[in-house]
């Protein structure tokens, strides 16, 4: 793989579509991977974000141990677009900083393919960060069975059809893990060639 150009892939899709499984498949096939969901968890553990969230939403969003109750925040931000925009204004710049640090570190390493899972990639206007975009989708009823409440949260995102139209690769994740793995292998073969 050494000597070939580095490729940075954005991985996105609807709630419950199987992005995390796809990210794991990319990792199994040698890609360096980064999950925005995991980054958000880590950001909520920082004093600065914890305090900003508590100041904005009220101390009731903190558990007895001082950690952020993400489910309470989710209720607020998915019920009120202004609250969602406030939270995005807090977190998205921090996520971009973390992504940039990770990308630069991996570029200095020996990985040829970097895959960043970013659920709100299009909503954040981040398409320009990537050489290719992969969207994982699934039928609405399947996503809802995997993640109850997915339809309500998806209503606040760019429509699935638009994400598909703006993507380089699309996979309908309604099969088994072997089929998803085969799709990931085909994407790697194409983008890392």
């Amino acid at each position: 793989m050494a000597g070939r150009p580095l490729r940075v892939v954005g991985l996105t899709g609807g709630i419950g579509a199987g992005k995390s499984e796809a990210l794991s498949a990319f990792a199994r096939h040698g890609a360096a991977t980064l999950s925005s969901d995991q980054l958000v968890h880590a950001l909520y553990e920082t004093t600065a974000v914890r305090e900003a969230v508590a100041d904005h939403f009220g101390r009731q969003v903190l558990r007895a141990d001082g950690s952020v109750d993400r489910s309470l925040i989710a209720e607020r931000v998915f019920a009120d677009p202004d609250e969602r925009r406030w939270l995005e204004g807090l977190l998205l710049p921090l996520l971009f900083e973390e992504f940039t640090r990770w990308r630069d570190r991996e570029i200095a390493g020996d990985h040829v393919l970097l895959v960043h899972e970013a659920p709100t990639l299009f909503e954040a206007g981040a398409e320009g960060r990537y050489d290719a975009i992969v969207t994982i989708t699934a039928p609405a009823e399947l996503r809802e069975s995997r993640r109850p409440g997915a339809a309500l949260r998806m209503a606040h995102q760019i429509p699935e059809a638009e994400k598909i139209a703006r993507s380089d690769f699309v996979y309908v994740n309604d099969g088994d893990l072997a089929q998803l793995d085969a799709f990931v292998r085909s994407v790697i073969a194409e983008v890392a060639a």
Side-chain angles (χ1 to χ4, degrees):
M1 290 176 99
R4 286 192 274 174
L6 179 83
R7 297 286 183 249
V8 182
V9 172
L11 174 65
T12 193
I15 296 166
K19 295 179 302 297
S20 297
E21 288 296 339
L23 190 67
S24 294
F26 277 107
R28 282 194 303 275
H29 291 287
T33 60
L34 179 69
S35 165
S36 286
D37 284 340
Q38 289 177 354
L39 284 179
V40 168
H41 283 282
L43 287 172
Y44 275 127
E45 292 175 8
T46 66
T47 301
V49 170
R50 197 171 45 242
E51 288 304 313
V53 165
D55 288 347
H56 181 80
F57 293 110
R59 306 302 290 180
Q60 69 271 16
V61 300
L62 298 180
R63 295 186 183 101
D65 65 0
S67 65
V68 174
D69 187 333
R70 294 181 67 206
S71 63
L72 286 178
I73 291 174
E75 287 175 20
R76 297 275 296 274
V77 300
F78 286 110
D80 184 337
D82 290 334
E83 296 288 34
R84 189 178 74 253
R85 281 189 286 277
W86 180 88
L87 187 62
E88 288 170 349
L90 173 68
L91 295 178
L92 289 178
L94 298 172
L95 287 170
F96 179 65
E97 288 175 16
E98 292 298 325
F99 164 80
T100 302
R101 276 196 282 276
W102 168 78
R103 183 195 61 206
D104 293 349
R105 185 177 61 245
E106 294 302 330
I107 286 171
D110 62 357
H111 284 98
V112 171
L113 183 64
L114 309 183
V115 180
H116 176 217
E117 179 241 349
T120 57
L121 184 154
F122 292 112
E123 290 81 358
E127 297 101 310
R129 299 177 192 166
Y130 308 103
D131 298 308
I133 296 173
V134 175
T135 292
I136 305 296
T137 186
E141 62 277 0
L142 184 54
R143 288 194 314 261
E144 191 67 29
S145 72
R146 291 174 179 162
R147 292 280 304 275
L152 176 64
R153 291 183 180 196
M154 292 276 299
H156 299 284
Q157 295 182 355
I158 289 174
E160 194 92 349
E162 184 177 338
K163 290 180 182 185
I164 289 168
R166 293 165 65 180
S167 298
D168 300 290
F169 301 92
V170 177
Y171 180 71
V172 179
N173 189 18
D174 59 358
D176 60 26
L177 289 177
Q179 292 167 313
L180 176 61
D181 199 72
F183 166 76
V184 165
R185 278 196 319 271
S186 72
V187 170
I188 291 172
E190 191 163 337
V191 300

